[in-house]
Amino acid sequence: MTLPRPDPDAAPLRSSSEAVPHDLIELLFFAYRDFVGDPDRILADYGFGRAHHRVLHFVQRRPGLTIAELLDILQITKQSLNRVLKELVEKGYIEQRTGRQDKRQRHLHTTATGQDLALRLVRLQAKRINRALASVGPEAAATAAQYLSALIDPSEQPKVNRLLGKP
Amino acid sequence: MTLPRPDPDAAPLRSSSEAVPHDLIELLFFAYRDFVGDPDRILADYGFGRAHHRVLHFVQRRPGLTIAELLDILQITKQSLNRVLKELVEKGYIEQRTGRQDKRQRHLHTTATGQDLALRLVRLQAKRINRALASVGPEAAATAAQYLSALIDPSEQPKVNRLLGKP
DNA sequence: TGAGATATGTCAATAAGGCTGACCCAAATT
DNA sequence: AATTTGGGTCAGCCTTATTGACATATCTCA
């Protein structure tokens, strides 16, 4: 099966002086797909999906996170969050603790089981990333991080930087 | 609302000597989300979703693509592809031409309308990427491309390289 | 020529992960 | 005491994906 080559004349940029970096567009699609594919396969054994992974990941990373903070990070509705969070709590991967100062808040923590799974998943993703960095040279790490960071909505960047601990 | 900082001692890497680049893991999530968010908003006006976008994009990029080739790129089932492809054809964004040598094949092409939409979307994504490149320096483009490419499953890399026209 | 492989299309059922809208309670704030 | 905030929940809907089964046309090869 031979794929046709991209046709350079197919889309002349008449009304735009900006170049279109097709490779960066398509590579992000393929890279992201394979990147989340690894965890997906494991999560399926637990009856979890991608949404559970994200919740587990950020709770593991930021123990004590509240619901509101998690909603702000994930940018989904509380109904969507609640479904997966409830399952993670019921199955014993995440624990909710009522806030001490503000008793309305629920602070989220991974249980020992939750930590095991979160670590297993994050190591799997780290493996892929480290393999990539090894192949392009470790100097690329900083550049890649800066590039990905700059792709984020400027309005979201402060939040993400805080999240990553880079104020 | 103040987010707690990542807890560096929360997940000691007892059973792994590999470092875990949390920033690169999380940045990929945020970057991808915002990257596909732009087109999503536009597509909603047309009654299309992300799946339609991917089909339209690759057909625009590789005019004459067959169904089998597209399935191989997207890695979804033909039933999934068929639903969105049918809608794109019915609404006049994509055209199917029966193969000349092999009459079983359908060669896919964007219509004029399809090209307009595809270009609009690709320019939007290019804008975000070019903004990012401008902020980190254009030298970063090659590094970012290499890094993203190296994230892809090694078994898939030849295919992607062919697709991008870099053999 | 006839058998089998290939390319595509389609039906039906199911699941995951999102959404909106409408409520509810308890606790904090003013 | 009244209002706002943090969180939970019900119900219904959409999109994208899946599996499995089957249909049809066309191509290839013995």
Side-chain angles (χ1 to χ4, degrees):
Chain A
M1 196 162 59
T2 316
L3 284 174
R5 288 301 184 70
D7 180 350
D9 298 326
L13 296 175
R14 288 181 200 85
S15 61
S16 168
S17 56
E18 290 269 35
V20 174
H22 287 103
D23 55 342
L24 284 173
I25 292 177
E26 290 161 18
L27 284 170
L28 191 56
F29 165 64
F30 292 116
Y32 187 79
R33 189 189 52 189
D34 290 350
F35 184 69
V36 297
D38 284 338
D40 280 359
R41 280 180 284 275
I42 290 183
L43 290 156
D45 297 338
Y46 295 78
F48 291 145
R50 220 169 273 186
H52 302 85
H53 183 198
R54 298 204 267 253
V55 171
L56 184 63
H57 175 93
F58 284 109
V59 171
Q60 167 74 359
R61 279 282 285 163
R62 306 188 81 87
L65 206 67
T66 66
I67 303 287
E69 287 162 351
L70 194 46
L71 286 174
D72 193 45
I73 290 172
L74 298 176
Q75 294 188 193
I76 56 177
T77 59
K78 65 177 171 179
Q79 293 92 325
S80 295
L81 172 58
N82 215 261
R83 181 174 40 79
V84 295
L85 180 55
K86 199 155 59 175
E87 288 169 0
L88 284 164
V89 170
E90 281 166 1
K91 293 190 183 173
Y93 292 80
I94 287 183
E95 213 176 69
Q96 318 204 35
R97 302 183 195 154
T98 298
R100 267 202 262 282
Q101 310 115 353
D102 191 332
K103 291 178 195 161
R104 292 171 305 178
Q105 294 184 332
R106 306 279 176 272
H107 294 278
L108 305 174
H109 299 264
T110 48
T111 62
T113 314
Q115 275 211 19
D116 286 350
L117 180 54
L119 280 178
R120 187 172 162 209
L121 295 171
V122 89
R123 286 208 193 99
L124 193 60
Q125 297 196 298
K127 203 169 159 186
R128 182 180 288 269
I129 287 183
N130 287 328
R131 176 175 56 63
L133 289 177
S135 105
V136 301
E139 332 80 64
T143 305
Q146 284 164 31
Y147 170 69
L148 290 174
S149 177
L151 278 183
I152 297 169
D153 282 352
S155 61
E156 291 290 304
Q157 280 172 20
K159 188 197 303 174
V160 172
N161 288 335
R162 241 178 303 133
L163 189 67
L164 299 180
K166 290 178 185 172
Chain B
M1 197 164 58
T2 315
L3 283 176
R5 287 301 183 73
D7 179 350
D9 297 326
L13 296 176
R14 287 180 200 87
S15 62
S16 168
S17 56
E18 289 269 34
V20 174
H22 288 102
D23 56 341
L24 284 172
I25 291 177
E26 289 161 18
L27 284 169
L28 191 55
F29 165 65
F30 293 117
Y32 187 80
R33 188 190 51 189
D34 289 352
F35 184 69
V36 297
D38 283 339
D40 280 0
R41 279 180 284 276
I42 290 183
L43 290 156
D45 296 337
Y46 295 78
F48 292 145
R50 219 170 272 186
H52 302 84
H53 183 198
R54 298 205 266 254
V55 170
L56 185 63
H57 175 93
F58 285 109
V59 171
Q60 167 75 1
R61 278 282 286 162
R62 306 189 82 87
L65 206 66
T66 66
I67 303 288
E69 288 162 350
L70 194 47
L71 286 175
D72 193 46
I73 291 172
L74 300 177
Q75 293 188 192
I76 56 175
T77 58
K78 65 179 170 178
Q79 294 91 325
S80 296
L81 171 58
N82 214 261
R83 179 180 42 83
V84 295
L85 180 56
K86 198 154 62 174
E87 288 169 1
L88 285 164
V89 170
E90 282 166 1
K91 292 189 182 174
Y93 291 80
I94 286 184
E95 211 176 70
Q96 318 204 34
R97 302 182 194 156
T98 298
R100 266 203 263 282
Q101 309 114 354
D102 190 334
K103 290 177 193 164
R104 291 171 307 179
Q105 295 184 330
R106 306 279 176 270
H107 294 278
L108 305 173
H109 299 262
T110 49
T111 62
T113 313
Q115 276 212 17
D116 287 350
L117 179 54
L119 281 177
R120 187 172 162 207
L121 295 171
V122 90
R123 286 208 192 97
L124 194 59
Q125 296 195 299
K127 203 170 161 184
R128 182 179 290 269
I129 287 183
N130 287 327
R131 177 176 56 61
L133 290 177
S135 104
V136 301
E139 333 78 63
T143 305
Q146 283 163 30
Y147 170 69
L148 291 174
S149 178
L151 279 182
I152 298 170
D153 283 351
S155 61
E156 290 290 304
Q157 279 173 19
K159 189 198 300 174
V160 172
N161 288 335
R162 240 179 304 134
L163 189 67
L164 298 180
K166 290 178 186 173

